[in-house]
Amino acid sequence: MPIQPANVRPQRRALDIACQWLPFALATISAGFILLFLYTALRRMNYPFAFDQVEGSMVTSVWRVAHGMPLYTAPTQDFVPFLYAPLYFYIAAAVGKLVGIGYGCLRLVSILGTLGSCGVIYALIHGETRSRLGAIAGAGLYAACFSQLGGWFDYGRVDSLFVFLLLLAIYCTRRAPVLVAVLVWLVAFQTKQTILPVAVLVLCAEWQRPRRMIFGLVALIAGFAGSIVMMNHLTGGWYSYYLFGTAKGLPWLMRTAVLYLPSDLLQPFGLAFLIVLASLLWVPVQRRSRSTQFYLIVSFSLYASIWFLRAHAGSSSNTLIPVYAWTAVLFGIALARLMPRVGGMDSPQQKLCSTLLLGAACVQILGFLYHPGRYDPGAYAVEGRQKFEQQLSAIPGDVYVINHSYDAMLAGKQPHAVIDAFGIIQDSPPSAMRTAYLAAFHRAIDAHAYSAFVLDDTADTYKPGDGWMPADFADQYPVRLLAESASISGPGAPPVEKWIYLPCSALDGDTSGFIHAGSAISYGTCPKTPQK
């Protein structure tokens, strides 16, 4: 036996220790991120106000469903639906019957959806590789994306439930009878309609089993068509208008289209994609095998469809959740394929390669480490929001809260259509409906049908004269009052209302409930100041 140099022995011992402990470390880190997400989400689930501008209006939609009101109707100043399919709203309303309608029931659905996605990612990876370490690493990477996506996983919005159903549909297409897969695809479609082209392409991945593919496609198309016809019948045609008609007016955004690959994918997942590439180069795949064809077609359909969505206005970080979940699946499969290969090499290369591989996987996941307090708005935000609700409640009459309809309801006011919903109509190509809607809005403002407007920013940022706000808005509502919520800022602070616009007549009565000593206020063209 050759005598090893003295300086080689410590290196060998270090590699032995690394190879022994890195698998345990990777599994612990991965499971830890799942638990970290759960802790963070449960900690803030019952925060009594919105995390983002749309979340509160989603609660309003769920409230309508829970009270037997239609979800898809002709647009009015009181309500305009979002361009989402209905399933999430009905599930959240059902949960709300048990725990109460509010932010908590919507967020609970999203939390369960995220945990379900982690479970399906684990099942997909383990089903392909029989590697528990690769499966938990993939699930852990997805859970770690909570911070990269700005905390979207537990928002009271459709995305987390949709991604769970999407992953489940992919899993069923790979493992279950085709009718089961089609049923799950239909359920996913009724959560978010953008799944339609992906569903068709993924079922085409079964081209090597033509009878299964054709039967699945026929059942899928029949199911899609049948569900659309039924929903249009129930809603007088408004279902298709909001799900398919409104998105046509969304413009292209070349910047996000160009930056999709380098910024949205490679920058956060550089090591993950290196591991996937190493797996393809080092462990050759059978390109015509059913497994390879399936994963190639699913990968193309998901990455391409999300690029298309990112390239249009209205896209936000939540658009990326499906491809982040799929990247976690590919990462886990690649890791599981590489580990036996490097394990079968002769030492010392085997131990060095194992150390580099598992170390890179740990670094990739740890790169998303976050402190849960960063996503907790905290008592200061709650206090500020409560002061604003008291201020809003004290304003007499019908107050239009343009961005946060559920805040109006919390203050005992009538909710109205929010700009994120009716903005799609406003930005759509000219039509009789668009003209009539904006004209009705202007007439209501001219008639002072609303005693105040509450905005997230100053009126000039809403482009007076272009859209819902008439050019003389500042003359109609010249009093500008700083909202109590405007002081909320810092980590975890969501978008808030900052300005309240009132007509001069609002100063004729008692204003002590909403204008206080030290309030930041300008009276514009009003001839007098409020009564003391």
Side-chain angles (χ1 to χ4, degrees):
M1 177 181 294
I3 300 175
Q4 297 178 353
N7 63 335
V8 173
R9 295 170 189 165
Q11 296 175 6
R12 292 282 180 87
R13 285 197 295 271
L15 287 175
D16 289 341
I17 294 171
C19 288
Q20 180 181 358
W21 286 101
L22 275 175
F24 175 75
L26 178 59
T28 302
I29 290 168
S30 301
F33 268 99
I34 297 173
L35 294 175
L36 179 61
F37 158 73
L38 185 59
Y39 170 76
T40 305
L42 292 177
R43 177 179 176 177
R44 67 183 198 153
M45 185 178 77
N46 289 317
Y47 174 66
F49 302 103
F51 286 135
D52 84 324
Q53 184 169 299
V54 174
E55 192 183 29
S57 303
M58 299 291 284
V59 180
T60 305
S61 297
V62 171
W63 181 89
R64 287 178 61 89
V65 170
H67 287 80
M69 303 173 70
L71 187 59
Y72 303 106
T73 64
T76 67
Q77 273 68 60
D78 287 339
F79 181 71
V80 173
F82 287 99
L83 56 163
Y84 292 128
L87 184 64
Y88 174 80
F89 300 102
Y90 283 92
I91 291 177
V95 174
K97 293 288 187 180
L98 301 175
V99 302
I101 299 296
Y103 292 105
C105 70
L106 278 75
R107 292 169 187 160
L108 179 58
V109 174
S110 295
I111 292 169
L112 294 175
T114 300
L115 294 177
S117 295
C118 290
V120 179
I121 290 170
Y122 184 99
L124 273 165
I125 298 168
H126 189 265
E128 296 295 335
T129 66
R130 298 301 167 188
S131 169
R132 287 180 291 181
L133 181 58
I136 191 64
L141 178 60
Y142 177 66
C145 292
F146 177 85
S147 62
Q148 180 66 24
L149 292 163
W152 271 90
F153 284 171
D154 63 340
Y155 280 10
R157 298 186 59 172
V158 305
D159 303 280
S160 292
L161 176 64
F162 165 70
V163 171
F164 164 66
L165 293 170
L166 167 64
L167 292 170
L168 185 61
I170 293 172
Y171 178 84
C172 290
T173 304
R174 179 77 174 132
R175 299 287 173 188
V178 67
L179 281 181
V180 175
V182 168
L183 178 61
V184 180
W185 281 115
L186 291 174
V187 173
F189 170 75
Q190 291 300 340
T191 307
K192 203 169 186 180
Q193 68 276 18
T194 52
I195 198 62
L196 179 56
V198 175
V200 172
L201 285 173
V202 172
L203 282 173
C204 287
E206 297 283 1
W207 65 271
Q208 291 178 323
R209 292 188 285 182
R211 291 182 61 186
R212 176 182 169 92
M213 181 190 73
I214 294 172
F215 185 65
L217 286 174
V218 170
L220 181 76
I221 293 171
F224 281 157
S227 65
I228 292 171
V229 169
M230 182 186 70
M231 290 299 297
N232 277 331
H233 174 73
L234 294 174
T235 63
W238 290 111
Y239 171 85
S240 284
Y241 173 76
Y242 290 109
L243 265 65
F244 306 111
T246 55
K248 295 177 181 178
L250 296 177
W252 280 77
L253 296 177
M254 293 309 300
R255 184 177 184 276
T256 53
V258 171
L259 293 179
Y260 171 67
L261 180 62
S263 181
D264 291 338
L265 295 178
L266 294 181
Q267 187 273 328
F269 293 105
L271 288 174
F273 283 116
L274 279 177
I275 291 172
V276 173
L277 180 62
S279 172
L280 293 173
L281 295 176
W282 206 351
V283 188
V285 297
Q286 297 178 359
R287 283 179 287 183
R288 294 187 64 83
S289 70
R290 284 210 309 264
S291 175
T292 301
Q293 292 292 311
F294 180 82
Y295 280 91
L296 281 175
I297 293 174
V298 173
S299 297
F300 170 78
S301 62
L302 283 176
Y303 288 114
S305 64
I306 298 304
W307 171 82
F308 181 80
L309 295 175
R310 285 291 281 167
H312 284 81
S315 167
S316 187
S317 56
N318 62 315
T319 307
L320 295 167
I321 300 178
V323 290
Y324 281 16
W326 191 246
T327 300
V329 171
L330 298 181
F331 165 76
I333 292 175
L335 188 64
R337 294 179 73 241
L338 280 171
M339 285 189 295
R341 185 62 179 261
V342 299
M345 297 171 59
D346 293 333
S347 297
Q349 292 87 353
Q350 176 265 332
K351 293 178 180 178
L352 177 60
C353 289
S354 292
T355 300
L356 291 175
L357 174 63
L358 295 174
C362 290
V363 170
Q364 172 64 80
I365 299 174
L366 283 172
F368 295 137
L369 186 63
Y370 60 92
H371 190 289
R374 174 185 171 190
Y375 297 97
D376 186 351
Y380 174 73
V382 173
E383 181 182 0
R385 297 293 300 168
Q386 289 173 339
K387 289 181 178 178
F388 167 73
E389 292 295 340
Q390 294 170 1
Q391 183 184 33
L392 181 58
S393 179
I395 300 174
D398 188 3
V399 181
Y400 201 130
V401 184
I402 202 74
N403 291 96
H404 309 262
S405 62
Y406 195 62
D407 285 351
M409 295 182 70
L410 291 175
K413 301 293 184 180
Q414 167 73 25
H416 296 292
V418 294
I419 194 170
D420 291 285
F422 73 71
I424 301 296
I425 298 172
Q426 172 182 293
D427 297 335
S428 64
S431 65
M433 177 186 292
R434 177 182 181 275
T435 300
Y437 184 85
L438 295 178
F441 218 135
H442 290 184
R443 287 195 300 271
I445 293 175
D446 291 341
H448 284 193
Y450 307 110
S451 60
F453 275 86
V454 184
L455 311 180
D456 280 14
D457 216 324
T458 54
D460 58 284
T461 62
Y462 291 80
K463 301 178 182 179
D466 180 20
W468 70 271
M469 183 180 283
D472 64 346
F473 179 82
D475 297 326
Q476 301 270 17
Y477 294 85
V479 181
R480 190 178 73 178
L481 172 67
L482 188 66
E484 293 287 349
S485 56
S487 61
I488 301 174
S489 61
V496 294
E497 300 92 337
K498 295 180 181 177
W499 296 101
I500 302 172
Y501 284 80
L502 305 111
C504 294
S505 59
L507 306 178
D508 295 338
D510 181 13
T511 63
S512 60
F514 56 94
I515 300 176
H516 311 293
S519 293
I521 186 171
S522 61
Y523 298 102
T525 57
C526 294
K528 55 184 176 180
T529 59
Q531 298 179 2
K532 302 298 182 183

